Amino acid sequence: MRKLKIMEHISLDGVIQHSADDDDDFPFPYSDWTAPYRGPAGRDAILAAYGENFDLLLGRRTYDIWSGFWPKAPSSPMADRLNAAQKYVATHRPESLEWGPFEGIGPDIIEAIRRIKAQDGPELILSGSATLTSTLLEHGLADEVLLIVSPVLLGTGKRLFAPETQARAFELVSTQAFPSGIIFSTYKVAGRLKNASA
């Protein structure tokens, strides 16, 4: 059983969107707001968080955005690793996938992810793909969440979890702050929410 990690760049108000989607009713105005805070130390920490060998789990929109950039990017440790990674893509149009290696999953995304997790292989990483994050937690498929928090408020954009996401608790595994202001916090899912009425 391999581990599935959600890894997201996130604003202080929970936004993880980085670019506009063509079919959005309200265009997102803040393209790549994480760049000013990344810096060399942050970049190296992100690369280390991915590791040298991993597979990707992506929603279709994130796949389309990334496939328009990473195959054309100059060779670098990040570009080379992302391009080499197996991409499992939640899509109803697998015939239109081109950036590989890839496997289209659907229509039963939950069973497909269970099957993929049960196989031998490297760690699975989900980045972006806001429509999948809540689903993974709801069905107990995410093992770890890494939040890369930038010191910004955006006020608009897609957020990490849907409003109807079930309440649950997390346990802090590690945290690291960088001079640029970003904070890496890694959590593992701890189960049922504990509160004063529990």
Side-chain angles (χ1 to χ4, degrees), residues 107-120:
D108 193 340
I109 293 171
I110 301 308
E111 284 308 310
I113 295 172
R114 285 191 177 121
R115 171 184 56 81
I116 294 163
K117 284 193 70 178
Q119 298 169 350
D120 290 334

Side-chain angles (χ1 to χ4, degrees), residues 51-118:
E52 292 193 16
N53 187 26
F54 55 88
D55 288 347
L56 292 169
L57 174 62
L58 300 171
R60 183 58 196 251
R61 286 185 183 181
T62 299
Y63 174 87
D64 287 343
I65 292 167
W66 286 21
S67 66
F69 177 79
W70 287 111
K72 305 169 192 169
S75 178
S76 68
M78 180 60 80
D80 296 346
R81 292 177 196 181
L82 289 174
N83 286 322
Q86 173 74 21
K87 294 110 184 142
Y88 295 99
V89 187
T91 181
H92 296 290
R93 306 181 321 276
E95 69 283 354
S96 60
L97 299 174
E98 295 182 358
W99 178 42
F102 62 78
E103 178 185 327
I105 60 172
D108 193 340
I109 293 171
I110 301 308
E111 284 308 310
I113 295 172
R114 285 191 177 121
R115 171 184 56 81
I116 294 163
K117 284 193 70 178

